[in-house]
Amino acid sequence: MNPLEISKGAVVLGVANSRSLASFVAEKLHLEGTRLAISYLADEKGRSRRRVEEACEKFPPTFLSPCNLNREEEVKAFFKEAFVSLGSLDYLVHAVAFAPLEDIRCDTMQVSREGFLQAMESSVYSLIASVREASSYMKEGGSIVTLSYFGSEKVVPGYNLMGVCKSALESAVRYLARELGPLGIRINAVSAGALKTLASSAIPHFSSMLEAQEKISPLRTKLLPEDVAESVLYLLSDRARAITGEVLHTDNGFNIMSAS
Ligand SMILES: NC(=O)c1ccc[n+]([C@@H]2O[C@H](COP(=O)([O-])OP(=O)(O)OC[C@H]3O[C@@H](n4cnc5c(N)ncnc54)[C@H](O)[C@@H]3O)[C@@H](O)[C@H]2O)c1
């Protein structure tokens, strides 16, 4: 039995290339028969579009369009067009984060005001803005999943500003869950273990984070992006119908360990 019902429509935010966690989620949704609307962050030379189109070969979307989630009008227009193309909007996947390099590579107390605001806007407000739009089209209820990391809960050296953003993101998930529940819409986060992607390559000491994860995690296998995508699909699906406002760790158990 398919965990997701056939003929559902999903918006997936955060495909940058074939290694993006959003791409692994989109592929699995596609294999379950879900129609997809994908947005991406455009650049002036059109390079990002080419990388996104290559990634999308594995999950041909019904609708593909640039959308800067920090621009209110673009967000509104994207969701409106996505809804028209999909016919129904049942799932939203938010796999988006950004912080300026200089503000992620410095100590937290050295973060600039501008960098802080930009990181919070891209990594947290983008969820709020997209949930507001998505929920207005989820007339039959729906399910939303965002992606977080353990650095929201405990200090992970190097994760710094992004840890502050992820704490705010997880808190937003809880507050949004309370407001969305009466509308029949669930929202949860998957706290993924460290995986090599474009976003994670910006994090200082990322290779030590990966090494620690592989050494300390109770499950000694290597964490795969597909593992994270499976958790996202579970939370989206009706099998998780009694779960909302939750953070589901998908990290081979790394988060339960004390450093050793
Ligand atoms: N890779 C990891 O180790 C890891 C672990 C835990 C959580 N996460 C989270 O997973 C999510 C996806 O990251 P990823 O690792 O797949 O990297 P990624 O770089 O492939 O994805 C990040 C996406 O955010 C998009 N984005 C940033 N600012 C945007 C904006 N203003 N408007 C629209 N899109 C914007 C980028 O274009 C990109 O597609 C992020 O929230 C990240 O923090 C990643």
Side-chain angles (χ1 to χ4, degrees):
M1 188 185 82
N2 274 345
L4 301 180
E5 285 175 51
I6 302 283
S7 223
K8 296 275 185 182
V11 163
V12 178
L13 307 172
V15 173
N17 56 37
S18 55
R19 284 167 75 176
S20 297
L21 297 183
S23 297
F24 289 88
V25 175
E27 187 179 351
K28 285 196 184 287
L29 283 169
H30 170 69
L31 292 172
E32 299 280 356
T34 308
R35 283 165 287 110
L36 297 172
I38 308 271
S39 79
Y40 63 93
L41 195 56
D43 62 340
E44 281 169 13
K45 294 185 175 161
R47 285 194 197 123
S48 60
R49 169 110 196 174
R50 280 197 294 281
R51 281 194 294 266
V52 171
E53 280 175 346
E54 273 168 32
C56 285
E57 282 170 15
K58 286 189 175 168
F59 44 86
T62 306
F63 181 63
L64 174 68
S65 172
C67 175
N68 184 338
L69 293 166
N70 294 346
R71 297 195 188 138
E72 206 61 46
E73 290 315 310
E74 286 187 31
V75 178
K76 277 187 190 304
F78 171 79
F79 275 93
K80 192 175 176 190
E81 290 172 50
F83 178 69
V84 171
S85 293
L86 292 171
S88 72
L89 180 53
D90 307 283
Y91 309 129
L92 168 65
V93 177
H94 173 272
V96 171
F98 174 79
L101 266 190
E102 59 276 21
D103 293 290
I104 202 165
R105 293 199 169 151
C106 67
D107 286 349
T108 310
M109 69 171 110
Q110 302 300 346
V111 165
S112 68
R113 188 178 301 270
E114 199 186 329
F116 179 86
L117 293 175
Q118 214 180 332
M120 287 294 246
E121 183 181 27
S122 305
S123 312
V124 187
Y125 191 76
S126 64
L127 175 72
I128 293 176
S130 48
V131 163
R132 184 165 54 237
E133 291 311 308
S135 60
S136 71
Y137 295 107
M138 290 176 163
K139 298 296 180 207
E140 308 292 319
S143 184
I144 300 169
V145 175
T146 186
L147 286 166
S148 192
Y149 177 67
F150 175 64
S152 63
E153 302 163 54
K154 299 279 188 235
V155 175
V156 177
Y159 202 63
N160 304 1
L161 171 60
M162 200 43 75
V164 178
C165 291
K166 292 303 190 191
S167 299
L169 182 79
E170 292 179 13
S171 180
V173 164
R174 290 185 282 273
Y175 280 88
L176 290 167
R178 178 184 164 270
E179 295 163 16
L180 293 168
L183 307 175
I185 302 172
R186 299 181 294 104
I187 179 166
N188 293 288
V190 167
S191 182
L195 289 158
K196 274 190 192 162
T197 62
L198 196 62
S200 64
S201 66
I203 294 162
H205 318 301
F206 183 74
S207 48
S208 337
M209 280 164 67
L210 265 184
E211 270 168 40
Q213 180 173 286
E214 282 179 26
K215 190 166 144 240
I216 296 170
S217 300
L219 296 174
R220 294 297 154 119
T221 52
K222 188 177 161 61
L223 184 72
L224 299 174
E226 288 87 346
D227 300 328
V228 172
E230 289 287 358
S231 287
V232 173
L233 259 73
Y234 163 67
L235 286 173
L236 288 177
S237 80
D238 196 47
R239 286 185 180 168
R241 61 189 167 274
I243 302 176
T244 195
E246 196 58 76
V247 179
L248 176 62
H249 294 92
T250 303
D251 59 359
N252 281 341
F254 176 70
N255 74 92
I256 67 165
M257 302 300 291
S258 67
S260 65

